Amino acid sequence: MRFFSDNAAAVCPEVMSALAAANRPDIPYDGDAWSARLDTAFSQLFETEVRAIWVTTGTAANALALAELCPPYGGIVCHRDAHIQLDECGAPEFYTHGAKLLLADGEGAKLSPAGVAAVLDAIGSEVHRVRPAALSITNGTEYGLVYTPAEVAALGNLCRARGLGFHLDGARFANAVAALGCSPADLSWRAGVDALSFGFTKNGGLCTEVLILFGGRDIEPSLFRRKRGGHLLSKGRYLATQLLAMLEDDLWLRNARTANRHAARIAAAAGDWLAYPVEINEVFLKIGSDQVRTLRDKGFDFYDWVPGEVRLVTAWDSDPAAIEALAVALEEL
Amino acid sequence: MRFFSDNAAAVCPEVMSALAAANRPDIPYDGDAWSARLDTAFSQLFETEVRAIWVTTGTAANALALAELCPPYGGIVCHRDAHIQLDECGAPEFYTHGAKLLLADGEGAKLSPAGVAAVLDAIGSEVHRVRPAALSITNGTEYGLVYTPAEVAALGNLCRARGLGFHLDGARFANAVAALGCSPADLSWRAGVDALSFGFTKNGGLCTEVLILFGGRDIEPSLFRRKRGGHLLSKGRYLATQLLAMLEDDLWLRNARTANRHAARIAAAAGDWLAYPVEINEVFLKIGSDQVRTLRDKGFDFYDWVPGEVRLVTAWDSDPAAIEALAVALEEL
Amino acid sequence: MRFFSDNAAAVCPEVMSALAAANRPDIPYDGDAWSARLDTAFSQLFETEVRAIWVTTGTAANALALAELCPPYGGIVCHRDAHIQLDECGAPEFYTHGAKLLLADGEGAKLSPAGVAAVLDAIGSEVHRVRPAALSITNGTEYGLVYTPAEVAALGNLCRARGLGFHLDGARFANAVAALGCSPADLSWRAGVDALSFGFTKNGGLCTEVLILFGGRDIEPSLFRRKRGGHLLSKGRYLATQLLAMLEDDLWLRNARTANRHAARIAAAAGDWLAYPVEINEVFLKIGSDQVRTLRDKGFDFYDWVPGEVRLVTAWDSDPAAIEALAVALEEL
Amino acid sequence: MRFFSDNAAAVCPEVMSALAAANRPDIPYDGDAWSARLDTAFSQLFETEVRAIWVTTGTAANALALAELCPPYGGIVCHRDAHIQLDECGAPEFYTHGAKLLLADGEGAKLSPAGVAAVLDAIGSEVHRVRPAALSITNGTEYGLVYTPAEVAALGNLCRARGLGFHLDGARFANAVAALGCSPADLSWRAGVDALSFGFTKNGGLCTEVLILFGGRDIEPSLFRRKRGGHLLSKGRYLATQLLAMLEDDLWLRNARTANRHAARIAAAAGDWLAYPVEINEVFLKIGSDQVRTLRDKGFDFYDWVPGEVRLVTAWDSDPAAIEALAVALEEL
């Protein structure tokens, strides 16, 4: 019973059906009818005019977003444990052509205006330091916490005041929206976000993510960078159709709710073992090596995280029986 | 009836089935069993030990290959009409961090040792010029011609003599192998090729290409660059399984033969209108604007290429009736 | 008697004196009083408000200018024989992060609007090609020709019409101004130039060039790039003082006139051997290998250029006796 | 009386004389006789065969060294307060094409094997993180401390064991050698250093630093990168001659000793105000704002460093009277 990551999940049936339905010759790259519908579809979802750019990975979406917001001689404030810092092998540096990540602190990989301001204030404006140009946060965070719309907006205000672009890594944006019960708009552009990497692969897609640009931003540089990065798929319609299938009848939201519900069940059973509140579909346990062994002996697989902590992730397709079994096992710990 | 490009083709049924068969939770990135089988599968195909790296686009495969063979301060000799020069928006420059493409000439986008040597000889070895570090050819070429194994080997010998890495853009490598009836080995490493971008998307895949590294070359730098480029898909198994499906029972070769046969039928009908011999699945016609209009009025769609030339491309799934209709239309011109 | 290049020349006495005069402790980088005077000094020279950024090499000035005018996914139209293409080892690609030089033709390394337009028209606006973003010309050219103000303005108009930034490589801008008897303004911003690499090293400096930005352009990105490129010297005052010494009493113009006059003397003697009109301080001779040997036997040193052509360059400090001897030798050929 | 930085110092007379002595036409770039002598001169100084590459700034030397030791997908371990991290506006990221600085801790900007190992151990070997490829230390450090030969060697051993290249930022290497009384060899290659940025500008030069490559390392990539970075000066002889003048009769060592002696005098007077031991020519004082004001009122200028600390730097040309006055003022505090 595997709780390694939601990116180990299968592709949900609706997406598979959409791929089959699209399977005929068509116009290559993003010239097809499915790709053409994306701007409208996502504009409806976000209640404002947006531009939507499909890519195959969250790393690509993040890197393109950061390249849009930060020049090569700029700096990007992010949490010390951010995915863009720890898990993308320097993709932000590659796509921005060498911008520097400026690391900030905060419990549970969550940043506060004060934490961000502290980083900025230490830099000043001289030419010997890179110029802070963007802020990037992850919602839900790498430790499964969510920023509320008000918390995002506070950071958005700081960005405006300091002249920073604001990027949101939304690998689990669906889970955050599901957890908060708010609108996607409240958690993004209304809170000052300029660019959102909106993840669909973990949440039921096969290989599709979307970069959303808000505020009438010129999309062309990102289109050139996508092509140049080797991310303009020749049969792009098979990406677009995945996205449209995920939007259809809020499949993205239902899948996220399912994953969150599974995690909540585990959290309820884990009680005091929890390292962080469980707000989306990630559970971090502070348990000893004996207990880790006990769980693994019972057939539960998961990652060791930092020393003394393990991470378990649920997904849209987690087996309810496995969830229940895990809950029982945790209660027995 | 569309003859725009083979990248407009559908996904072949065997690939769709393979996707469905792989659709269950599994290990992310390239840790799955399908990805693990690729080195062996391609080593068998190439009759030597190779390393196989899946990516989603030919542009990514080309760019990774060139980054492996050429330092940032190096130069890559290629044909003036090469895809890497004209159609990838600078992806080679992006992944190599600014190497320079050194343009050579040759009929039908085909290079000769003499043509390559002329470029090299004009440069010398001083520090004011970039240092030539690699040769890149496309087989079949952008104009539908093939290099024979002997022609590739002649270039391979030049590469060895001049200290160049040798890259083969094989977006239509399958079509070239099918046309020549030779082995993949004869057309690659036995002829001195170091890195091959082997295309499967045009030939029936959904979104999968593979970079093949020959000669025991260290694969690690390319793995880091793939990750850094945002090309390490989290559900990579869905790429690997496409490749395995294409290799199964030589599906890749059968599809390529079909596409070639369609083009041959058109070529036979086109007679003196042909701008180049038709050796794979691309047909270039030298026809006047009246004739272009006539064909389009009959429902045939295709690209204007250079002034006075149009390009028509067939694919594994071209409709035989459309091929026949086009042949008839050409005979009537 | 050496006619290799004007970058072999000595440093002129006024510059050496200025270095000595500045030799005391002062504020580092560009915080000193000499650096502070540059904007004003060059604004006077150009009869408009400009920003002046010292650097140590023309390659650095060119690369910074191009990075200012062209994004990484852009293209820079230049002559096939331009210094930025042939002699800077990819510095433009390095500083622009991989932009592509788009090569145009023209006699004597001189571009025409038609030649530039031909390159642009072949590209279109799609994402598969880099987007043309800048034009770069050299005045005087690599073959010693000059563009008149009207010729520059014609290219400037094209740039405005096509949305291109306009860069002028002025390694021998002084020689061009001296030859034309026009104002620096007429040959630069009044003709639509956005950024000028203004060379002083060949013309009597020790190691100083200046990048001039016109039109109220934001100077900050270039200042960051200069620092990041390792070109913000800690004792920058020794660069600034060189520039001020060169501007004093039009030393730059007098030196350039001297160099031009030397070349004119040689040209007058060379007669029909001239490969190009001699307009500044470069002389290209179409002479056979026997004649080359004769000249070298008489002690004249110079570069072989393209096959059948040799290049001789004069400088502010060319020995008049050597010039005269060469003139005599040429008349005897 | 200014104690801002040693890069505010003047150029020492021997260097000015050397410039004057070299002032005649000569072969451009690094083809002159002075440049040709550098390898030999520095090989003698280091008691082993080295390659010496002149550049104009320490930032350029550092960036070239790091590009030599670290691929774009690599990581460079350095101190959190290292000059390459805080004061070069991302030059290391620019020249390495996006490598990541991996920040380690240590008192006084000084690293220990344990501190470096902690950073390395947190990373592992997977493709999601950049691969640690180099260690960079500064000797004397940014806080004026020195690593002894044994301390450097301990880090050198770690580098060998972990497969890291070892870079030494020697902006004040002369001061460290002077302080330790050891040989340059003991403090560099004998302790495992692969590349040294050896600073001369702060120590009496006008604009010259040298990158030293040890261990028979191929110099060519760095020569291409220097050219490409715009750092191959056309009149390079004026850099080479500065270096040779500094080596003559150990001028570099005498100047460094002078600067160190001045700092020692201040340190002796500062007593308990010292934030760190004064080992070279930098003095950090932990003094309150009242005392800061007192000193400034008496005409002493210096930088505020971190809150509660100020930095004073002496140089080869510090005025002994000013040093004495400062010592007295400190004793009176």
Side-chain angles (χ1 to χ4, degrees), chain B residues 89-226:
Chain B
C89 193
E93 287 89 343
F94 180 38
Y95 278 82
T96 61
H97 299 292
K100 194 185 275 282
L101 303 194
L102 305 167
L103 306 181
D105 293 302
E107 190 67 11
K110 209 170 147 184
L111 294 177
S112 65
V116 174
V119 170
L120 298 174
D121 293 342
I123 289 184
S125 66
E126 49 164 24
V127 81
H128 302 276
R129 302 289 294 271
V130 297
R131 176 202 278 176
L135 170 68
S136 178
I137 66 169
T138 310
N139 198 14
T141 76
E142 287 77 5
Y143 281 90
L145 303 185
V146 295
Y147 292 85
T148 64
E151 288 171 329
V152 179
L155 290 164
N157 288 338
L158 180 69
C159 287
R160 288 301 165 270
R162 300 292 191 113
L164 306 181
F166 192 6
H167 169 243
L168 178 49
D169 177 350
R172 295 188 184 94
F173 184 72
N175 303 89
V177 170
L180 290 160
C182 65
S183 74
D186 287 342
L187 213 51
S188 58
W189 63 275
R190 282 204 193 108
V193 170
D194 295 302
L196 165 66
S197 308
F198 193 165
F200 287 90
T201 303
K202 288 181 167 75
N203 198 27
L206 190 151
C207 62
T208 196
E209 311 272 315
V210 70
L211 169 59
I212 303 289
L213 297 181
F214 298 105
R217 189 174 278 272
D218 181 13
I219 198 180
E220 284 234 315
S222 295
L223 294 181
F224 278 96
R225 286 197 196 94
R226 176 176 65 171

Side-chain angles (χ1 to χ4, degrees), chain C:
Chain C
M1 291 165 288
R2 312 182 120 186
F3 294 90
F4 285 122
S5 179
D6 36 4
N7 67 10
V11 178
C12 72
E14 295 88 341
V15 169
M16 291 302 282
S17 300
L19 291 174
N23 195 20
R24 54 172 196 261
D26 209 307
I27 299 172
Y29 303 112
D30 56 358
D32 59 283
W34 292 276
S35 296
R37 285 172 49 202
L38 291 183
D39 282 354
T40 302
F42 281 99
S43 294
Q44 284 174 346
L45 182 68
F46 282 98
E47 307 168 54
T48 188
E49 200 152 327
V50 307
R51 305 300 303 266
I53 305 175
W54 47 248
V55 286
T56 50
T57 67
T59 294
N62 286 340
L64 288 173
L66 296 173
E68 167 65 17
L69 299 178
C70 184
Y73 49 83
I76 299 155
V77 182
C78 69
H79 193 278
R80 183 174 306 290
D81 292 329
H83 198 270
I84 59 170
Q85 163 69 2
L86 293 186
D87 297 293
E88 302 188 351
C89 193
E93 287 89 342
F94 181 39
Y95 278 81
T96 61
H97 300 290
K100 195 186 274 284
L101 303 194
L102 304 167
L103 306 181
D105 293 302
E107 190 67 12
K110 208 170 148 185
L111 293 176
S112 65
V116 174
V119 170
L120 298 174
D121 293 342
I123 288 185
S125 66
E126 49 162 26
V127 81
H128 301 276
R129 301 290 294 271
V130 297
R131 176 202 277 174
L135 170 67
S136 178
I137 66 169
T138 310
N139 198 14
T141 76
E142 287 77 5
Y143 282 90
L145 303 184
V146 295
Y147 293 85
T148 64
E151 287 171 330
V152 179
L155 290 165
N157 288 338
L158 180 68
C159 286
R160 287 301 164 273
R162 300 293 191 110
L164 305 182
F166 192 5
H167 169 244
L168 178 49
D169 177 352
R172 296 188 182 94
F173 183 73
N175 304 88
V177 170
L180 290 159
C182 65
S183 74
D186 288 341
L187 212 52
S188 57
W189 65 274
R190 281 203 195 109
V193 170
D194 296 301
L196 164 67
S197 308
F198 193 165
F200 288 89
T201 304
K202 288 181 167 75
N203 198 27
L206 189 152
C207 62
T208 195
E209 311 272 315
V210 70
L211 169 60
I212 303 290
L213 296 181
F214 298 104
R217 189 172 279 272
D218 181 11
I219 198 180
E220 283 235 317
S222 295
L223 294 182
F224 278 96
R225 286 196 196 94
R226 176 176 66 171
K227 172 67 193 179
R228 186 174 179 77
H231 284 286
L232 180 61
L233 267 67
S234 62
K235 299 184 178 176
R237 59 196 183 272
Y238 295 97
L239 299 196
T241 196
Q242 291 180 56
L243 293 173
L244 294 170
M246 291 295 293
L247 292 185
E248 183 88 19
D249 296 329
D250 286 341
L251 174 58
W252 66 280
L253 198 51
R254 284 181 284 128
N255 278 355
R257 281 181 187 140
T258 302
N260 286 2
R261 197 179 57 238
H262 289 320
R265 174 66 187 99
I266 298 172
D272 290 349
W273 302 117
L274 291 179
Y276 299 96
V278 170
E279 302 182 345
I280 52 169
N281 64 325
E282 296 186 293
V283 179
F284 290 83
L285 302 177
K286 265 203 169 116
I287 52 177
S289 51
D290 283 359
Q291 292 142 334
V292 167
R293 202 170 319 113
T294 301
L295 290 176
R296 287 191 173 136
D297 285 348
K298 291 186 178 176
F300 300 103
D301 285 326
F302 45 82
Y303 281 126
D304 293 318
W305 211 244
V306 294
E309 280 186 30
V310 301
R311 187 189 81 162
L312 299 99
V313 186
T314 59
W316 72 273
D317 66 346
S318 294
D319 177 5
I323 298 289
E324 205 50 42
L326 175 60
V328 170
L330 287 171
E331 283 157 357
E332 292 173 359
L333 270 189

Side-chain angles (χ1 to χ4, degrees), chain B residues 243-258:
Chain B
L243 293 173
L244 294 170
M246 291 296 292
L247 292 185
E248 184 89 18
D249 297 330
D250 285 342
L251 174 59
W252 66 281
L253 198 52
R254 284 181 284 129
N255 278 357
R257 281 180 188 141
T258 301

Side-chain angles (χ1 to χ4, degrees), chain A residues 175-183 186 257:
Chain A
N175 304 88
V177 170
L180 291 159
C182 65
S183 74
D186 288 342
R257 282 180 186 140

Side-chain angles (χ1 to χ4, degrees), chain D residues 183-233:
Chain D
S183 74
D186 287 341
L187 212 52
S188 57
W189 64 274
R190 283 206 193 106
V193 170
D194 295 303
L196 164 67
S197 308
F198 192 167
F200 288 89
T201 304
K202 288 181 167 74
N203 198 27
L206 189 152
C207 62
T208 196
E209 311 273 315
V210 70
L211 169 59
I212 303 289
L213 297 181
F214 298 105
R217 190 174 277 273
D218 181 13
I219 199 180
E220 283 235 316
S222 295
L223 294 182
F224 278 95
R225 286 196 196 93
R226 176 176 66 172
K227 171 68 192 179
R228 185 175 181 78
H231 284 286
L232 180 62
L233 268 67

Side-chain angles (χ1 to χ4, degrees), chain A residues 211-230:
Chain A
L211 170 59
I212 304 289
L213 297 181
F214 298 105
R217 189 174 278 271
D218 181 12
I219 197 180
E220 284 235 315
S222 295
L223 294 181
F224 278 95
R225 285 196 197 95
R226 177 176 65 172
K227 171 68 192 179
R228 186 174 181 77

